[in-house]
């Protein structure tokens, strides 16, 4: 597990940065596979999700190991993960991209919310999705799924490296989610990318204003003309960016 601790300053910067900008910044570093594929917000939220990863790994359920009474075990990994995921973190579930049975439901996710957890992400599905969507906690899945997780999933490992939607997730990595989806930032790059992407967001706001005013994108995006660079610096001073 990473020793990295997400600072309030970096969290605040990432709250204003899009997943698109982060994916581009990662691509520039040769890192191309950190966007979690085929997940979406259970219900739209305007504020970004930002938090470090705490992971839960599901394996395929074997029928003799997963009767309904396994939930009586106080050490059941799914329940333990819900009770141990730290406040401000994101519980990330490896459900093998299989939404035929739920990864969790509204009761467990409500408990995560009450414990101060920032968000929950699965590459499978959630049951009680309508109720989950009404909660304040950020929640991402592939689609609603009514069957209990025991039908197809056995919760097996907590806080180990996992895959989620084809993206590698290590405990302590930083997840950022917006209306486009979720990107996983390797922990050692989080501060660096937050600073870089804050500047990228400013530039893209400037570019959009220029495009809306009728400016051609040639020489503007990317900024290959000296005039563009000068205009951007003037825009930054004017807007305090």
């Amino acid at each position: 597990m990473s020793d990295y601790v997400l600072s309030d300053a970096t969290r605040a910067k990432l709250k204003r940065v899009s997943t698109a900008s982060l994916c581009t910044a990662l691509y520039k570093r040769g890192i191309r596979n950190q966007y979690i594929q085929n997940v979406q917000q259970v219900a739209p939220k305007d504020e970004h999700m930002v938090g470090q990863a705490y992971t839960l790994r599901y394996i395929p359920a074997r029928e003799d190991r997963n009767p309904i009474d396994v939930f009586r075990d106080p050490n059941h990994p799914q329940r333990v993960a819900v009770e141990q995921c730290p406040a401000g973190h994101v519980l990330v579930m490896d459900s093998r991209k299989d939404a035929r049975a739920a990864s969790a439901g509204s009761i467990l996710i409500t408990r995560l919310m009450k414990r101060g957890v920032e968000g929950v992400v699965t590459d499978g599905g959630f049951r009680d999705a309508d109720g989950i969507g009404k909660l304040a906690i950020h929640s991402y899945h592939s689609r609603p799924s009514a069957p209990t997780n025991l039908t197809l999933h056995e919760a097996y490992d907590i806080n180990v490296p996992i895959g989620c939607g084809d993206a590698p997730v290590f405990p302590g990595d930083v997840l950022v989610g917006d209306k486009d989806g979720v990107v996983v930032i390797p922990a050692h790059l989080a501060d660096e990318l937050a600073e870089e992407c804050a500047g990228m967001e400013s530039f893209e706001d400037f570019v959009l204003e220029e495009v809306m005013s009728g400016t051609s994108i040639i020489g503007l995006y990317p900024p290959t003309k000296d005039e563009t660079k000068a205009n951007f610096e003037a825009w930054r001073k004017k807007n305090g960016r």
Side-chain angles (χ1 to χ4, degrees):
M1 182 172 177
S2 171
D3 293 330
Y4 174 80
V5 177
L6 178 66
S7 69
D8 291 341
T10 294
R11 184 189 294 271
K13 289 174 185 174
L14 291 173
K15 285 280 187 179
R16 301 190 299 270
V17 171
S18 71
T19 55
S21 291
L22 290 165
C23 286
T24 299
L26 287 165
Y27 175 77
K28 290 176 180 177
R29 291 161 173 80
I31 302 175
R32 306 184 180 198
N33 192 37
Q34 296 303 118
Y35 180 75
I36 297 179
Q37 297 294 324
N38 299 316
V39 303
Q40 58 189 327
Q41 292 177 313
V42 175
K45 287 183 171 52
D46 291 330
E47 185 184 64
H48 289 13
M49 175 185 76
V50 179
Q52 291 188 257
Y54 188 90
T55 65
L56 173 64
R57 183 171 75 96
Y58 285 108
I59 65 172
R62 198 177 75 193
E63 289 77 3
D64 63 320
R65 290 177 53 87
N66 288 276
I68 195 69
D69 60 4
V70 296
F71 287 140
R72 295 180 178 273
D73 180 2
N75 295 313
H76 186 272
Q78 185 201 48
R79 269 40 178 183
V80 172
V82 168
E83 293 297 331
Q84 290 187 354
C85 182
H89 280 54
V90 176
L91 179 60
V92 191
M93 303 182 196
D94 173 5
S95 298
R96 310 179 317 286
K97 301 182 291 184
D98 190 346
R100 292 176 299 156
S103 303
S106 63
I107 292 175
L108 298 189
I109 294 176
T110 299
R111 176 59 179 162
L112 289 167
M113 180 186 72
K114 296 297 289 184
R115 294 189 57 253
V117 170
E118 172 78 0
V120 57
V121 179
T122 178
D123 57 4
F126 290 134
R127 65 197 309 197
D128 316 312
D130 183 65
I132 291 169
K134 294 173 182 175
L135 298 174
I137 189 171
H138 298 277
S139 303
Y140 289 80
H141 71 166
S142 63
R143 63 172 173 82
S145 183
T148 178
N149 67 303
L150 299 175
T151 310
L152 291 168
H153 306 305
E154 178 177 345
Y156 197 78
D157 280 326
I158 297 174
N159 225 27
V160 297
I162 63 169
C164 185
D166 293 323
V169 184
F170 291 81
D173 283 349
V174 178
L175 277 79
V176 178
D178 61 13
K179 291 178 180 177
D180 282 353
V182 181
V183 64
V184 184
I185 306 172
H188 68 282
L189 292 175
D191 295 344
E192 179 182 323
L193 263 62
E195 185 65 29
E196 176 180 326
C197 290
M200 288 174 61
E201 293 289 325
S202 294
F203 179 68
E204 292 196 356
D205 288 345
F206 160 75
V207 168
L208 282 172
E209 287 189 18
E210 291 290 294
V211 170
M212 289 296 292
S213 70
T215 303
S216 168
I217 61 167
I218 306 300
L220 172 67
Y221 190 70
T224 56
K225 292 181 178 178
D226 291 339
E227 179 187 355
T228 297
K229 298 173 184 177
N231 289 343
F232 176 51
E233 288 305 315
W235 180 91
R236 290 184 68 184
K237 290 178 182 178
K238 177 183 176 181
N239 292 278
R241 302 282 293 274

